[in-house]
Amino acid sequence: LDLAQWRKDLGLSQYQVAAEFGMTVDAVRSWEQGSRRPRDEDKLRVVMHVVGARIRAERREAARDAR
């Protein structure tokens, strides 16, 4: 599970991920640096997938609206 790569692929900051997940930026940093791990990585994978899909859909919609 590579939270940092997922975040970068979506063009999100650590602050944006923290806000999206309802956590602190310190927690995001700790996960990315490997000093802490989520309690349930499987659930986090599902959440990351859903949030990522939503963000990509919003960006596609915004790009269409901008035309």
Side-chain angles (χ1 to χ4, degrees):
L1 178 63
D2 190 344
L3 179 62
Q5 188 60 52
W6 170 83
R7 176 179 63 76
K8 290 173 188 173
D9 288 347
L10 291 172
L12 299 174
S13 70
Q14 289 177 332
Y15 293 96
Q16 290 169 309
V17 171
E20 192 69 47
F21 285 103
M23 60 190 345
T24 66
V25 174
D26 287 339
V28 173
R29 284 188 190 126
S30 295
W31 286 6
E32 288 186 358
Q33 294 169 354
S35 58
R36 280 185 48 194
R37 300 303 305 161
R39 289 191 192 132
D40 190 336
E41 285 194 35
D42 290 334
K43 287 181 183 176
L44 181 59
R45 286 177 208 274
V46 171
V47 170
M48 287 170 64
H49 175 75
V50 170
V51 170
R54 183 180 58 78
I55 290 170
R56 285 188 292 275
E58 288 174 355
R59 287 181 179 167
R60 281 192 303 273
E61 185 176 324
R64 276 193 304 265
D65 291 346
R67 292 184 202 158

